[in-house]
């Protein structure tokens, strides 16, 4: 039996899920199609959000706009999906050098200062962490439990009869002037949210992705050496408590090997960095890899296909999907429904 909806969304990673929820919230009907790949960036990610770029100690792009938006969006979705996945955390940063501490203290007096705690702590978290130079703290940070979020979304979409599990077949698209159909489903638009797999999409593979593979480890510490759930440690790697004495550790950045497989090289890199932070023994429980949909100019890829306006893309969330996706899903919804222009920096029209 044929079906008619406003939008078909391809991909139920963070981008597709957040866009589907946003469109549903604004009263639109959607169908979400996903192939249930277990090794996606969204399933591997730690889901951290952090308004500070540690490398240069500057504010993350649009942080002041994105954070308040997220703080409304995710709790609303926790309510809708009857699940808990959005956690505020203290990101603690042990300093590696005196210079780093001096710069941190200087920056607390600038615009970014509202996100930097000026207090320096000399605690070692019960003997767990090497901390000779002190630790400081990023304020207004946390994480989205991405697996819990995606599982809750899938359950909700399935229950609402709007989820199809299959590999999307591009040859089944047919377009007419004001609509598009896929198999027996017709819609005003198909919105592609396939993450890095967009590089295989015949309509959007021209977009300038510069993909980055990332690997993570899940480690176990003994119960008497636990790091409080409210804390994330970050010194060359992040250590994120995920409950039951387990911690997610990451991540690597690799531009050449873009396979979905984990590697010995990635594992050794993480272990080397981890051993410089943790004083206590740990056990490796899991090793994962995913490919981030990163872009040449480090900005999202959003907008309509230049020749087929029935096709759109919502992708390129790079290393910051948790922060970017809710804000830009809302912007794309306004663009599609009310013709409010997209931010030029994210509109794929910038590559025409
Ligand atoms: C190791 C690592 C750590 C990270 N840490 C963070 C972090 O702390 N904070 C943060 O904000 N971001 C982080 N990221 C980045 C973040 O994970 C990505 O930006 C985000 O997950 C991208 O989501 P997406 O939905 O665009 O892509 P994906 O997660 O790749 O999802 C795409 C979905 O589309 C499906 N799909 C693709 N092609 C098809 C098809 N033809 N048919 C059907 N389905 C299809 C896939 O199966 C998948 O479910 C991290 C990434 C990695 C790899």
């Amino acid at each position: 039996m044929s079906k008619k909806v406003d939008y078909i969304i391809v991909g139920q990673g963070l981008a597709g899920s957040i866009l589907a929820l946003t469109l549903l919230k604004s009263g639109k009907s959607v169908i979400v199609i996903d192939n249930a790949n277990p090794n996606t960036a969204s399933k591997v990610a730690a889901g951290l959000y952090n308004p500070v770029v540690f490398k240069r100690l500057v504010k993350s792009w649009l942080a002041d706009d994105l954070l308040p938006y997220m703080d409304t969006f995710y709790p609303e979705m926790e309510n809708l999906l009857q699940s808990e996945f959005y956690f505020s955390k203290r990101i603690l940063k042990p300093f590696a050098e005196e210079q780093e501490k001096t710069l941190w203290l200087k920056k607390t007096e600038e615009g970014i200062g509202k996100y930097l705690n000026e207090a320096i702590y000399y605690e070692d978290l019960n003997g767990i962490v090497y901390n000779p130079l002190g630790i400081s703290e990023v304020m207004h940070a946390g994480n989205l439990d991405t697996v819990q979020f995606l599982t809750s979304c899938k359950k909700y979409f399935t229950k609402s009869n709007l989820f199809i599990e299959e590999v999307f077949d591009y040859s089944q698209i047919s377009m007419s002037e004001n609509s598009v159909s896929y198999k027996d489903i017709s819609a005003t638009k198909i919105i592609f949210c396939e993450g890095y797999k967009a590089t295989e999409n015949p309509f959007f593979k021209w977009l300038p992705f510069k993909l980055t593979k990332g690997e993570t480890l899940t480690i176990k510490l003994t119960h008497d050496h636990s790091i409080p759930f409210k804390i994330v440690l970050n010194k060359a790697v992040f250590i994120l408590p995920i409950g039951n004495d387990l911690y997610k550790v990451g991540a690597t950045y690799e531009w050449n090997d873009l396979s979905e497989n984990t590697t010995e090289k990635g594992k050794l890199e993480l272990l080397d960095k981890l051993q410089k932070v943790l004083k206590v023994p740990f056990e490796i429980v899991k090793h994962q890899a995913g490919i981030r949909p990163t872009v040449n100019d480090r900005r999202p890829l959003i907008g309509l296909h230049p020749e087929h306006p029935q096709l759109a893309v919502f992708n390129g969330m790079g290393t910051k999907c948790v922060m970017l996706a809710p804000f830009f899903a809302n912007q794309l919804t306004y663009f599609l429904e009310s013709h409010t222009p997209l931010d030029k920096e994210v509109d794929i029209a910038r590559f025409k």
Side-chain angles (χ1 to χ4, degrees):
M1 207 175 67
S2 66
K3 190 163 181 170
K4 197 164 186 262
V5 289
D6 294 313
Y7 299 100
I8 297 170
I9 294 178
V10 182
Q12 194 242 319
L14 290 177
S17 301
I18 291 169
L19 181 62
L21 292 171
T22 305
L23 286 165
L24 288 170
K25 204 175 117 183
S26 71
K28 299 290 126 190
S29 54
V30 304
I31 286 282
V32 180
I33 300 174
D34 188 89
N35 61 6
N37 176 357
N39 301 319
T40 63
S42 298
K43 288 176 185 156
V44 170
L48 294 167
Y49 62 90
N50 175 2
V52 177
V53 181
F54 283 137
K55 226 176 183 175
R56 290 168 289 134
L57 219 54
V58 291
K59 241 190 252 180
S60 177
W61 184 58
L62 294 182
D64 294 345
D65 300 318
L66 304 181
L67 290 176
Y69 198 85
M70 292 168 55
D71 279 346
T72 310
F73 178 82
Y74 289 118
E76 241 179 74
M77 293 308 124
E78 287 186 317
N79 210 11
L80 174 77
L81 306 176
Q82 290 295 295
S83 178
E84 204 185 1
F85 36 72
Y86 186 56
F87 303 101
S88 133
K89 302 257 181 184
R90 299 172 62 203
I91 298 190
L92 297 187
K93 181 159 183 51
F95 294 113
E97 298 167 8
E98 278 296 339
Q99 271 167 309
E100 209 181 9
K101 187 160 58 181
T102 311
L103 179 66
W104 182 284
L105 291 173
K106 181 171 161 271
K107 290 274 189 167
T108 57
E109 289 160 20
E110 298 177 10
I112 191 178
K114 65 177 172 182
Y115 298 124
L116 305 177
N117 192 339
E118 58 188 11
I120 306 290
Y121 311 108
Y122 286 91
E123 60 195 89
D124 62 1
L125 299 173
N126 281 333
I128 299 174
V129 181
Y130 289 109
N131 178 26
L133 300 175
I135 290 182
S136 201
E137 174 186 357
V138 175
M139 291 175 301
H140 206 145
N143 87 302
L144 178 77
D145 179 337
T146 60
V147 172
Q148 181 64 25
F149 173 68
L150 294 171
T151 308
S152 308
C153 288
K154 184 168 176 176
K155 205 166 131 197
Y156 180 77
F157 297 152
T158 306
K159 199 178 83 191
S160 313
N161 210 12
L162 51 86
F163 186 75
I164 299 173
E165 190 167 304
E166 68 177 42
V167 177
F168 185 85
D169 178 357
Y170 303 97
S171 70
Q172 299 284 329
I173 297 178
S174 66
M175 289 182 257
S176 58
E177 201 182 347
N178 292 317
S179 69
V180 57
S181 49
Y182 173 70
K183 296 187 176 172
D184 57 352
I185 311 165
S186 68
T188 52
K189 293 200 192 313
I190 300 179
I191 310 177
F192 291 100
C193 309
E194 308 130 300
Y196 91 97
K197 286 283 182 184
T199 52
E200 294 168 19
N201 178 325
F203 298 98
F204 287 106
K205 61 183 175 193
W206 54 272
L207 288 169
F209 283 98
K210 189 172 184 245
L211 304 175
T212 320
K213 176 172 174 169
E215 296 186 46
T216 60
L217 296 175
T218 302
I219 60 165
K220 191 172 177 108
L221 297 185
T222 56
H223 194 57
D224 50 335
H225 283 137
S226 62
I227 302 173
F229 189 71
K230 267 279 177 198
I231 284 177
V232 183
L233 274 170
N234 193 312
K235 187 182 176 187
V237 281
F238 63 74
I239 306 173
L240 169 75
I242 53 176
N244 299 323
D245 300 320
L246 296 173
Y247 301 82
K248 196 150 199 170
V249 176
T252 60
Y253 292 81
E254 165 64 47
W255 292 270
N256 298 317
D257 163 20
L258 294 173
S259 70
E260 287 179 3
N261 306 331
T262 55
T263 65
E264 196 58 20
K265 180 175 167 238
K267 180 163 126 188
L268 291 177
E269 181 186 326
L270 292 173
L271 286 178
D272 180 51
K273 289 179 175 166
L274 197 51
Q275 273 148 1
K276 290 182 179 136
V277 193
L278 284 187
K279 283 188 193 175
V280 291
F282 52 84
E283 179 196 333
I284 299 176
V285 177
K286 206 192 276 179
H287 182 191
Q288 291 171 290
I291 314 285
R292 303 174 182 91
T294 34
V295 183
N296 252 343
D297 66 0
R298 295 168 189 229
R299 294 290 176 257
L301 297 168
I302 304 175
L304 302 182
H305 189 277
E307 279 139 42
H308 306 294
Q310 308 91 325
L311 306 180
V313 64
F314 185 68
N315 205 322
M317 301 293 153
T319 58
K320 300 252 170 192
C321 193
V322 172
M323 284 174 79
L324 293 166
F327 182 88
F328 284 108
N330 184 53
Q331 194 174 106
L332 178 59
T333 301
Y334 270 94
F335 169 73
L336 295 171
E337 292 297 319
S338 317
H339 307 289
T340 313
L342 290 168
D343 186 332
K344 283 195 172 62
E345 279 190 90
V346 304
D347 191 339
I348 57 167
R350 71 190 187 276
F351 299 114
K352 255 195 226 160

